[in-house]
Amino acid sequence: MIHRKLNILLVEDNENDIFLIKRQLNKIVEEPVIETTDNLQDFKRLLSNFAPDVVLSDYNLPECTGLDVLTTVQELDDTIGFIFITGTIHDEELAANTILSGASGYILKKHMNNLGEKLEPLLKKIVINMTSKKELRNMIRQNKITVNKIYDYLDKMNSEDQAQKENINKIREAIGNFDINRTESDAG
């Protein structure tokens, strides 16, 4: 069992599958908070407003594919775990492509009876990654706060001396380069 709150965004159009997946999630996650949708527009809204820890998605949906959903997640926040739960992936190449595209895993719906057994290790792996990334995000957040405080201080400095103005501009430029380099190294 996963002993923490987990925000789960379920992208599924079949009501029976929604019921079965939710039932299995309640067995393996102590405190699941589950939102569901079956279309990309609502998904984008929920992705921003609900802030899921993991997205579970069918592959074939009425208005899009699971790969469209995965791409949307990656564009907004590529740290969000993504798992396909689908009946569509019969082709090994397509299954491999979902993983290569960035999915954390996939489970076939034919295994719905033992979904919990297959899903729990994938979710545990996502939770472990979330914990380590949370520490990194906090460090980045603190660095950005520090940089913003320095910018505020520089903005408050009222310099009439040309040499001081040039020095302030050099400091701003150096901070900007530092911030860009940090962002690039954090992305890598």
Side-chain angles (χ1 to χ4, degrees), residues 69 158 175:
V69 176
N158 188 2
I175 292 170

Coordinates of all heavy atoms in Angstrom, one line a residue, residues 69 158 175:
V69 N -2.5 13.0 -24.9 CA -2.5 13.3 -23.5 C -1.1 13.4 -22.9 O -0.8 14.3 -22.2 CB -3.4 12.3 -22.8 CG1 -3.4 12.5 -21.3 CG2 -4.9 12.3 -23.3
N158 N 19.2 53.8 -6.0 CA 19.0 54.9 -6.9 C 20.4 55.5 -7.1 O 20.9 56.2 -6.2 CB 18.0 55.9 -6.3 CG 17.7 57.0 -7.3 OD1 18.1 57.0 -8.4 ND2 16.9 57.9 -6.8
I175 N 23.6 38.0 -12.9 CA 22.5 37.3 -12.3 C 21.6 36.6 -13.4 O 21.2 35.5 -13.3 CB 21.6 38.2 -11.4 CG1 22.4 38.6 -10.2 CG2 20.4 37.5 -10.9 CD1 21.8 39.7 -9.3

